[in-house]
Amino acid sequence: MRAAVFEGAGVVRLRDVPEPTLEAADDVVIEVEACGICGTDLQILNVPPGHPADPGVVMGHEFIGHVARLGADAAASGLKVGQRVAVDPDATCGVCRFCRAGRPANCENIRALGIFRNGALAAFTKSPARAVFPFGGGPPSEVAALIEPLACVVNGANRANPRPGESALIYGAGAIGCLFVAVFRAAGVSPIVVIEPTEARRSVVRAVGADAALAPDEFDARRGELFPAGADIVVDAVGTRFAAAVDEASLGGRIILFGQNANVRPEVHQYTITARSLTVMGTYITSFTFPQAIRMVEQGILNLAPIVTHVLPLDRLPEGLDLLRARAATKVVITPA
C-alpha cells in the first residue's frame, strides 16, 4: 500500500509499504477513511524537530476508518468488521503507576501511532482494540476526522473548568485554537478572543464562534477594552506564548499550555504566577475524553465544519504540508483511498 513514511531530518516520502497484519489477539486492522495533518506532524518535520518521532514510521494519528480485520480478543470485545471507528493513537498500557492512579495521559508506556508506531497516512493501519471507539455514521469524513484532536482539546478544557460568563484568550487560530473556541462557546464562555497573525485563519475562527479574532498589533491596541482585568482562561495553542499568557491572565486565572515546540525556551516571570495566583496546566492528549468528543461530533453541537479548509488525496500530501506551513490552511484532511 502507499504510505507517508517519515525518513528523518525533515523528510516524509510517499512509498509502498506492506499492509498491516494481525499479530496480537487484540489487534484491529482499520481501513482508513480520513486522516488529519496535525501541528505535531509539522513539528516532527521541522529541522531541528520540535517533536520526536522514529524514522521509518508511517505518519498520521488523527483518523477515522472502518474495521477491516479483528484478532480473536478484539472480536470478543464487541467490535465488528465494517464498523466505523475513531482511534485514540495514544493507547495506554493500563498497568503502569500512572494508569492505575487514573492518569492515563501520563502513561509511561505510550507509543503513539503515527509517531512511534505506524499511523494512518496510508490505506490501512493497526491499533489495539482498547483504543478503538465505534461511532455513528452521520458525520462527514472531514468533520469526523476531528474527533481525536477534539478529545485532546476537551481534556484541556475540562482541566480549565470553563464557566458561563468567564472570558478566554487563545493564542493561535489553527485547528487546535478553533477547537478550543468551539468547546468554550458550548460552555458559555464570553468573550472569546483569538490572537492570530493570518487573516485567512482569523476568518475561519470567527466562523467557528470567536467573538473577536485579531492580529497581534490589533490586540495590543484593544487589550484594555477587551480584558480590563485580564482573561480568566488563556490558551497557548501554538507552543511559544507562555510568557505572554502569564502577562494576560487575570488574578486567579488559568493557563492551558497545549501547543508544543521543543526548541522554545521562554523567559517567564515566576513572581507574576505566584503574585496573581495563576494556575498553569500542561495538557495535549486525551484522558477518558474520547466518548465525550464522539458524542459532541455525532450530535452536531459544535460548529466544526469551517475548521477543515482542505480535503486532499494522499498523493497531494506535500501540498497539504505546504499549505499548513504557509498558514494558508487551518486543517488539512487526507483521504488515503
Side-chain angles (χ1 to χ4, degrees), residues 49-50 239-243 261-268:
T240 62
R241 307 302 296 160
F242 183 18
N261 186 335
N263 298 312
V264 173
R265 298 288 186 272
E267 289 275 345
V268 176

Side-chain angles (χ1 to χ4, degrees), residues 161-181:
N161 190 25
R163 295 181 284 271
E166 288 192 311
S167 60
L169 174 64
I170 299 170
Y171 287 95
I176 294 300
C178 288
L179 289 168
F180 269 107
V181 168

Side-chain angles (χ1 to χ4, degrees), residues 168-243:
L169 174 64
I170 299 170
Y171 287 95
I176 294 300
C178 288
L179 289 168
F180 269 107
V181 168
V183 173
F184 286 167
R185 175 61 64 211
V189 174
S190 183
I192 304 170
V193 178
V194 180
I195 302 175
E196 167 58 48
T198 308
E199 173 54 35
R201 287 187 169 183
R202 293 198 295 269
S203 297
V204 170
V205 80
R206 290 187 197 106
V208 172
D211 294 295
L214 306 171
D217 58 342
E218 293 175 312
F219 175 76
D220 290 342
R222 296 182 57 188
R223 177 188 286 106
E225 165 201 344
L226 293 167
F227 297 112
D232 297 308
I233 303 171
V234 184
V235 178
D236 177 3
V238 296
T240 62
R241 307 302 296 160
F242 183 18

Side-chain angles (χ1 to χ4, degrees), residues 17 41 72 114 119 126 155 162 175 184 187 204 224 230:
V17 301
D41 298 323
K126 182 170 66 176
N155 182 35
F184 286 167
V204 170

